[in-house]
Amino acid sequence: SVYHGQWVEGKKHGIGQMYSDHGVYAGEFTSDDMKGYGYFDYPHGVSYKGNFGNVHNHNFIDHKSKSGN
């Protein structure tokens, strides 16, 4: 994977973008983890937007395919 963004003490921390075979994430990182608000675009056309890193927040993620459905 490739990361562009803020670092603190050698860890992804703050706002950044991570590109991998699994998709593209852009948003908040905390100590190398995707935590906070962001979005994830999967290669098969589905996107998720919302809070990451807290299972209780996953109910609030909106999802749309690239076709708008």
Side-chain angles (χ1 to χ4, degrees), residues 5-6 9 12 14 25-27 35 37 41 43 45 58 68:
Q6 299 172 319
E9 297 180 3
K12 297 180 279 289
Y25 172 79
K35 287 188 179 175
Y37 188 81
D41 286 333
H58 286 183

Side-chain angles (χ1 to χ4, degrees), residues 52-68:
F52 286 77
N54 183 341
V55 174
H56 300 293
N57 288 338
H58 286 183
N59 292 334
F60 299 104
I61 294 173
D62 297 323
H63 65 278
K64 292 185 179 181
S65 69
K66 289 184 179 177
S67 65

Side-chain angles (χ1 to χ4, degrees), residues 32-48:
D32 277 342
D33 292 325
M34 297 181 295
K35 287 188 179 175
Y37 188 81
Y39 70 86
F40 201 105
D41 286 333
Y42 289 90
H44 59 277
V46 174
S47 296
Y48 290 93

